[in-house]
DNA sequence: AAAAAAAGAATGAACGTTCATTTTTACATA
DNA sequence: TATGTAAAAATGAACGTTCATTCTTTTTTT
């Protein structure tokens, strides 16, 4: 039970500092010493909570990914119609990416670089199951195009990542109108026409 | 004229090695010494062609981006209809991402991390102008939805990046059928209905 | 007062870059 | 064509710094 006694606050501070620093500098350009400093902790203390730097970033990734999907599906349930369900999930994801912008950026970076272990990556993918189930149902009902899960994901959900990154760079800003339009694009791209 | 005498082959080898190593290990985990070794050159030689490591990766980014867009627009001309033009460009981009998979991966990593200077990023964006012009024309003709350029890009073109990355991970493989379906999704998401 | 947690300082390896030197190239002269 | 030479290009080794991790000691908790 030793581990339970350790302050969970310190662990959280470390994870938070990791996200912020990796967002701004990238994984290998954020020294453990800086993470420690931002979390107001000694570098040596990090090693009480994590095996090493790789473990720290892996765990952070899995944690943020879990947070992301749990937020996405929180208000969804399987009795909804496919269209309703998709709209709800899509909007929750958009919400998350706007409100938890730092977390979303971190996930995008992890997903596009070799900084995460293959094992942790697989772990992160599992959480998407409810969405895959919804699509399966949609295809059976003839509402969603009979495409592979990844194609659906690429056209319906993933563009949001790109928009958030562009937004972060200050090239343009997303507002409510954009989001409604983006949702319409997403839905057009995966629904069966007519 | 001194610079012109330097072997262009060495420079190319350095750029190529950078792409491969950064793809596999990330920017900060690829030492100059390894880049030099892969390019069959002394570490010191790199500094005859590039100011420093940052300059090397910036120049590599701009070069690959230019290559990408030049390939994308090579066979396009403004006398084509909007729908034809879009289909052509979309397919050229898909081609590039399949054939020049390493290069495409490298761009995705650059675009999702802080590893590239802001200035070089801006430089890279400029090359997309022909696509923006096509969309402008499409909007005027009432064929393309009246959305912002980045929204159009996010739903029409960017999903391809995601698909290539998933493909690279071995989670699924893209074939000709997928590409045709993906194109249909892309077009559905940006064309005016009816 | 024993055990757990935390700290700062220390360690050794790895890195980007530079330095001193050697090798190659370009070209003028014979 | 052959030879000499100065500049350019290329090199391997070395330098100083930074970093992840560990070690020893101190502080906190039970």
């Amino acid at each position: 039970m030793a581990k339970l006694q350790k302050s969970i606050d310190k662990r959280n501070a470390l994870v938070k500092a990791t996200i912020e620093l990796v967002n701004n500098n990238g994984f290998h350009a954020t020294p453990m010493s800086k993470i420690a400093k931002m979390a107001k902790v000694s570098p040596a203390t990090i090693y009480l909570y994590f095996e090493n730097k790789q473990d720290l970033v892996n765990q952070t990734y899995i944690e943020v990914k879990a947070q992301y999907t749990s937020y996405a599906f929180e208000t969804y349930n399987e009795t909804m119609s496919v269209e309703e369900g998709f709209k709800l999930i899509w909007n929750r994801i958009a919400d998350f990416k706007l409100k938890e912008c730092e977390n979303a950026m971190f996930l995008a970076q992890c997903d596009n670089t070799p900084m995460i272990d293959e094992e942790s990556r697989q772990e992160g993918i599992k959480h998407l199951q409810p969405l895959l189930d919804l699509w399966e149902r949609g295809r059976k009902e003839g509402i969603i195009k009979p495409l592979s899960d990844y194609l659906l994901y690429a056209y319906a959900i993933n563009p949001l990542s790109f928009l958030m990154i562009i937004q972060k760079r200050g090239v343009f800003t997303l507002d409510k109108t954009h989001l409604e339009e983006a949702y319409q694009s997403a839905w057009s791209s995966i629904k069966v026409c007519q």
Side-chain angles (χ1 to χ4, degrees), chain A residues 10-22:
Chain A
K10 284 208 175 120
R11 216 195 91 107
N12 289 342
L14 284 167
V15 166
K16 195 163 182 290
T18 302
I19 293 167
E20 183 170 339
L21 289 168
V22 168

Side-chain angles (χ1 to χ4, degrees), chain A residues 168-194:
Chain A
K168 173 86 178 189
R169 301 242 176 81
V171 183
F172 93 130
T173 48
L174 268 176
D175 59 27
K176 282 275 166 201
T177 321
H178 282 131
L179 278 184
E180 179 55 30
E181 292 172 344
Y183 168 72
Q184 290 304 334
S185 272
W187 181 241
S188 309
S189 67
I190 65 165
K191 74 155 193 250
V192 168
C193 287
Q194 299 286 9

Side-chain angles (χ1 to χ4, degrees), chain A residues 28-29 50 53 57 62 67 70 74 79 82 106 109 114 124 129 147 151 165-166 175 178 190:
Chain A
H28 287 287
F50 304 94
K53 196 180 178 187
V57 79
I62 289 175
Q67 206 180 309
S70 127
E74 194 176 327
T79 64
V82 169
F106 180 77
Q109 188 169 171
Q129 201 52 48
L147 307 177
L151 263 175
I165 284 161
I166 289 285
D175 59 27
H178 282 131
I190 65 165

Side-chain angles (χ1 to χ4, degrees), chain A residues 63-78:
Chain A
E63 218 162 294
V64 175
K65 194 85 167 195
Q67 206 180 309
Y68 162 70
T69 41
S70 127
Y71 187 92
F73 302 124
E74 194 176 327
T75 58
Y76 166 73
N77 72 71
E78 293 166 17

